[in-house]
Amino acid sequence: MEKKIVFSGAQPSGSLTIGNYLGAIKNWVELQDEYDCYYSIVDLHAITVPQVPKDLRSNTLKQLAIYIACGIDPEKSTLFIQSHVPAHTELTWVLNTISYMGQLSRMTQYKEKSRKSEENLNAGLFTYPVLMAADILLYQTDLVPVGEDQKQHLELARDLAIRFNNKYSETFKVPEPLIKEFGARIMSLQDPEAKMSKSDSDENGYILILDDKDTIRRKIKRAVTDSLGVIAYNDEQLGIKNLLDMYSVFSGESIEEIVNRYEGKGYGILKEDLAEVVIEGLSPIQRKYDELSKNKDYLEKIYKSGAEKAEYQAMKTLRKVYRKVGFIPR
Ligand code: ATP
Ligand code: LTN
């Protein structure tokens, strides 16, 4: 029997955070044996916010090395750079023609990012979720492992698949999201009501997968908590809740076990121990990354063969789509 298909991606819009790791990449790793997985570095998405070209280039390559260092095995999964497969942009155009302005304008990420945008709003920010739908639908994806913030975009991808299938006949598989109960929404260390994000202007808000030990200790020590002084897991104490979430996903212990152990103890101890748990979780990744980042030839080989494999699959779907909408084959 053929394996089911998984697709996911992250933007090279900075350096990856432990939010990206816990909400997405850690789960990608677990799916590799059971599924046929495609993991992309979505550079086309990244340019919807201002990027410095040379940084985008280095972040893209760095991100590939981080994927592999986190445990994505290029022998098992297809790793590729989104802009290397033009079918993503081409399918986006077709999907644009069946996307509703109203639905796109209700996307939370669009509303948030457009509020932050200082210049004129660019149209790419608006059609961002259509490109994401194209990413997913091109591979006839069954499952999309993402963090909680992408749920609405997944819903749109499903809607577009169904709408296209109804209008032109069965063409796309309708994908399902995979969002874990814990780790799917890691919050900013400086504002526990906002999602941890790699493009946050305050670097104390996030921990990067590649942050060194002292930086991790310092950032966790400074994390915003509350004045209740009780270690408990609830929505009145979002800062502590977030620290407990991180503790649990990194250590594999349940929230309950952790809360019981810290009963009656102070926030300082919890933070110190959490920092060590995070450091321990990230160390093997960082060591592997250091090795990989020296080997540019190897990375180039991976993204080149990944693009070939991805393109082959993507083109099968794109040809079908072009035929169905009435384009004459060349
Ligand atoms: P940016 O801040 O540049 O918009 P981002 O940090 O939100 O980016 P993306 O590249 O957009 O990261 O997301 C990659 C994956 O990481 C997605 O599946 C997303 O849901 C997940 N993710 C991002 N931030 C978090 C978070 N704070 N907690 C859990 N998962 C997250
Ligand atoms: N929009 C996603 C990144 C992304 C993605 C995808 C995730 C682009 N294309 C396809 C899953 C499947 C984000 O996390 N901001």
Side-chain angles (χ1 to χ4, degrees), residues 280-296:
E280 201 179 306
L282 295 180
S283 296
I285 297 175
Q286 296 181 350
R287 274 198 300 274
K288 184 102 192 282
Y289 172 83
D290 287 340
E291 248 170 66
L292 284 163
S293 62
K294 287 183 218 132
N295 201 342
K296 295 273 185 320

Side-chain angles (χ1 to χ4, degrees), residues 189-190 200-207 211 215 218-219:
L189 298 177
Q190 289 301 308
D200 191 340
S201 54
D202 179 0
E203 61 171 35
N204 286 316
Y206 55 73
I207 294 174
D211 269 345
T215 308
R218 191 188 65 232
K219 286 178 176 175

Side-chain angles (χ1 to χ4, degrees), residues 7-11 20 28 40 42 45 82 109 113 128-129 131-133 135-136 144-147 149-150 153-154 195 198:
F7 185 98
S8 201
Q11 306 178 77
N20 299 129
W28 302 356
S40 184
V42 293
H45 277 105
Q82 187 188 29
Q109 183 179 302
K113 291 205 172 173
Y128 175 112
L131 175 60
M132 177 164 162
D135 296 342
I136 297 167
V144 187
V146 282
D149 63 313
Q150 296 303 311
H153 289 163
L154 245 302
K195 179 186 89 114
K198 63 173 117 69

Side-chain angles (χ1 to χ4, degrees), residues 118-132:
E118 282 155 18
E119 303 157 25
N120 269 332
L121 268 185
N122 79 77
L125 210 50
F126 190 68
T127 57
Y128 175 112
V130 185
L131 175 60
M132 177 164 162

